[in-house]
Amino acid sequence: MSDPAVRVDTTSQVPPYEQIRAQLAALIRTGRLVEGERLPTVRQLAVDLGLAPGTVARAYRELEAAQLIRTRRGAGTRVAPLPDAPHGHDVHQLSTLARDFTSAARALGAGTEDILTAVRRALDSESEPAPASRHSGSGSANPTEASATIPAVGSRAR
């Protein structure tokens, strides 16, 4: 499996910490990041994404509050066991993400059918392995977007 990537779009109305939190939560809940996998340090992920460390720290704090990750001195930050209780989704956040996506798609000149087709393809591709992407850091072709490969360090806990 290729390493998943986290991307931050600085032009989005969604704050960068929330983009990081939502993407990592989705990676954990869908099993792309499994229990025990080590995440990059706050500083490393901040450097990779070109953000302030406090931004990444806030995302990590919220993921810890949701019991999706654990940080232990000397052991780093690792994916926690998934809670037994089913998780719901935040309807407001989902609406915000949908608005951001459709606004960006329309700015590219896409019509409604093109947007729906893109969403269907994205949903269909979730069950297929993603192509290997080794891109990390802020050298994105889009200067308003940065990405980082996750996990950037280590592997599963022993």
Side-chain angles (χ1 to χ4, degrees):
M1 168 167 61
S2 65
D3 289 340
V6 171
R7 289 179 175 71
V8 174
D9 180 356
T10 57
T11 63
S12 172
Q13 292 179 347
V14 178
Y17 80 88
E18 177 57 23
Q19 292 179 51
I20 296 166
R21 187 211 60 79
Q23 290 176 58
L24 287 175
L27 291 169
I28 292 166
R29 287 184 173 134
T30 60
R32 297 224 22 232
L33 288 175
V34 297
E35 179 182 344
E37 281 194 85
R38 189 169 179 187
L39 299 180
T41 64
V42 166
R43 287 184 186 171
Q44 184 59 56
L45 188 54
V47 167
D48 289 349
L49 294 172
L51 299 171
T55 301
V56 175
R58 182 169 178 185
Y60 276 22
R61 279 193 307 273
E62 293 196 12
L63 288 165
E64 280 191 283
Q67 300 178 344
L68 294 175
I69 63 171
R70 291 184 183 156
T71 301
R72 294 218 163 66
R73 189 177 199 105
T77 301
R78 295 185 184 271
V79 175
L82 281 178
D84 291 333
H87 64 277
H89 63 276
D90 182 336
V91 175
H92 175 71
Q93 180 185 0
L94 185 59
S95 295
T96 300
L97 291 170
R99 269 193 313 276
D100 286 350
F101 171 72
T102 54
S103 294
R106 293 227 189 264
L108 292 173
T112 301
E113 286 305 313
D114 292 333
I115 293 169
L116 291 172
T117 298
V119 170
R120 285 185 191 104
R121 283 184 183 153
L123 290 170
D124 290 344
S125 71
E126 283 182 352
S127 60
E128 300 170 11
S133 173
R134 288 283 153 211
H135 177 75
S136 73
S138 56
S140 174
N142 180 351
T144 63
E145 184 178 287
S147 67
T149 301
I150 304 295
V153 295
S155 59
R156 296 187 177 105
R158 297 187 196 276

